[in-house]
Amino acid sequence: MADTDPAQPLADLVDGGTIVMLMTMIGDEHSSRPLTVAAVDGSRLEFLVDATTDWATAVRSGGVAVHASVSDTRANTYLSLQGSASMTLDAADVQRLWSPAASAFFDGPDDPALGVLRFDVDGGEYWDSPGGRIGSAIALLKAKLGDDPGAAGAHGSVTAT
C-alpha cells in the first residue's frame, strides 16, 4: 500500500450500520465494545447506547480517553480513529437515530436507558484493499510481481469532510 494516498472523508469510509469497536480508558482500565453506527455527520459518529452502563456513565462525566477501530470486511476497509466522546440523553436525538435494527438491543425509542454517544473524530488512518478474498489475493500478487506496493490497496489519513 502506498504511503502517499490522499486523505479520505470519514463519511466515505463509514456509514450507518458499520460496526465500530469503541475502546475507553477509565483510569488504568481499558475496555472495548462493538457499537453500530447510527449516523455519520461530518467528523461525528453517533451511536445508540445503554447510558446506564459504567463506561457510558464515565463518558457522560467526562475525562475518558476514547479510541475507535473499524474492520469492515464488507468493503475491505480498516480504520483507526482518535477523538473525543460525549453523551446526550436528549429524547429528540434518540428518536432521530432510532431504527428497526435498534429494537434488537433496546425496548423502543422511549427506553429510559437509551442515550446517544457522540464520537467526534480528531484524526485517524484508513487502510483499503480490493474486495473479497480473491480480489485481495490477486492484488497482493500483482503488487509483488509488479513491484507496485500501491496495487495492494490504499492507506491515508481520515478527514472530517
Side-chain angles (χ1 to χ4, degrees):
M1 293 182 207
D3 287 329
T4 58
D5 290 316
Q8 292 289 320
L10 181 64
D12 288 354
L13 299 166
V14 178
D15 58 15
T18 299
I19 305 297
V20 170
M21 284 300 292
L22 188 83
M23 186 280 297
T24 53
M25 185 166 176
I26 302 167
D28 291 335
E29 186 175 321
H30 290 92
S31 64
S32 297
R33 74 252 349 122
L35 299 176
T36 303
V37 174
V40 180
D41 183 15
S43 63
R44 175 176 283 172
L45 300 176
E46 294 181 304
F47 308 89
L48 290 172
V49 300
D50 180 345
T52 65
T53 62
D54 289 343
W55 72 268
T57 301
V59 167
R60 207 168 50 248
S61 66
V64 174
V66 181
H67 179 85
S69 298
V70 175
S71 177
D72 187 352
T73 57
R74 300 171 302 165
N76 271 3
T77 302
Y78 308 91
L79 296 102
S80 176
L81 304 170
Q82 297 84 43
S84 58
S86 61
M87 182 83 64
T88 180
L89 302 177
D90 184 69
D93 283 336
V94 170
Q95 191 66 39
R96 174 179 56 83
L97 297 174
W98 184 258
S99 70
S103 65
F105 303 100
F106 304 102
D107 291 334
D110 298 323
D111 185 330
L114 258 174
V116 175
L117 175 78
R118 296 175 173 152
F119 182 69
D120 293 305
V121 176
D122 296 332
E125 293 181 87
Y126 74 92
W127 296 263
D128 193 4
S129 62
R133 288 183 180 171
I134 293 173
S136 293
I138 291 171
L140 289 172
L141 184 60
K142 283 182 179 180
K144 178 69 175 162
L145 294 176
D147 208 19
D148 177 12
H155 170 248
S157 60
V158 176
T159 62
T161 56

